[in-house]
Amino acid sequence: MVTKRPRWAPDPETYAARKPPRSDAYREVADREDHLRETGIWWTEVDTSPIVANDTDGAWRRFRANLPEQVWNAARLEGMAFTLAEVQTLLEGHTVGGHPTTDELRMLALAQAYATLRDLVGYGTFGVDKSTSDHLNRIIARHETPDAGRFRGEGTLRRNGSDHLRSRFAVLREHLAETDDARLLALIYFCAAARTRFYGAGNIRTALLMTNGILISNGCDAITIPGPRRLELDHALDTLTTTDDATELMRFLVDCAR
């Protein structure tokens, strides 16, 4: 049943005209507060157009073909001095010598995590959810912490803070569900996860895998952060940590995607 509008109710145009105009500065402050409340970070306008969206199958095939380079660059960001050829050898199931055992174990874990992401996207089972993130972190950080795959406070050292992290992740997912641009969604996820540090180890590596899962699932190529740009990444992460401002880090990731 459709009810008539009461005579005292102004039409939408009249109502809008009566509302005081919001200045750009006011809107920016309001947006910042909303972003901080929902994601733990804030940002100003970021041009996501350099991250080109094509088709999911093509993006997945390119990710699969470039897997050794993806793993190699991720390892260099962590200070692991493997060559691209050695990474290729490890991905083929063979061992390489000349490296500390801890580095080789971490490299194998990283390679398996990237292969796992490849399969999750390929089979259509990737999701922007805690179980997927936990699964990837469990692989990546398995040689670094006994609590791999668990939010801080969920594992051997249980703390009440784990409830806060689970709540933070749930609110973040709600915000992402309302984000129309999948490219911006991926950037928000990476920066929010990097700032919150859900896990005891492997946060940046896990965040990048989840980010690339979002991108590939939406037809965009995965982002590779070249090893030589580690200092730029560190600077952007430092800005994020000290100010909660993710703009620099988002723009850096977009630049890496060009």
Side-chain angles (χ1 to χ4, degrees), residues 34 36-40 165-177:
D34 288 343
L36 277 169
R37 182 177 61 256
E38 296 172 2
T39 67
L165 292 177
R166 285 192 290 268
S167 176
R168 167 62 63 194
F169 191 87
V171 174
L172 172 61
R173 285 191 67 201
E174 290 177 5
H175 179 90
L176 296 177

Side-chain angles (χ1 to χ4, degrees), residues 117 121 126 128 207-218 222:
L117 177 64
V121 176
F126 174 83
V128 188
L208 185 57
L209 281 169
M210 290 291 292
T211 297
N212 281 332
I214 295 169
L215 290 172
I216 299 167
S217 298
N218 287 278

Side-chain angles (χ1 to χ4, degrees), residues 14-111:
T14 303
Y15 178 76
R18 291 179 182 175
K19 295 175 66 177
R22 295 176 64 187
S23 66
D24 290 341
Y26 178 86
R27 185 179 298 108
E28 183 176 330
V29 171
D31 289 345
R32 179 184 303 183
E33 292 175 351
D34 288 343
H35 292 162
L36 277 169
R37 182 177 61 256
E38 296 172 2
T39 67
I41 59 173
W42 64 276
W43 60 93
T44 55
E45 186 175 354
V46 176
D47 179 14
T48 62
S49 61
I51 304 176
V52 180
N54 292 305
D55 66 284
T56 301
D57 287 342
W60 179 79
R61 285 196 299 270
R62 286 186 291 274
F63 178 75
R64 183 182 62 182
N66 295 326
L67 199 61
E69 185 176 353
Q70 293 270 352
V71 176
W72 178 52
N73 277 293
R76 290 200 293 171
L77 292 175
E78 297 295 321
M80 291 184 277
F82 286 78
T83 66
L84 181 57
E86 287 175 329
V87 172
Q88 178 69 60
T89 299
L90 288 170
L91 286 171
E92 293 171 352
H94 307 293
T95 58
V96 298
H99 297 277
T101 302
T102 54
D103 279 2
E104 185 161 346
L105 290 174
R106 290 175 65 207
M107 172 61 81
L108 287 169
L110 188 62

Side-chain angles (χ1 to χ4, degrees), residues 228-243:
R229 302 192 69 174
R230 178 179 176 180
L231 289 179
E232 294 176 72
L233 173 63
D234 288 345
H235 185 276
L237 286 170
D238 183 63
T239 299
L240 175 67
T241 301
T242 55
T243 68

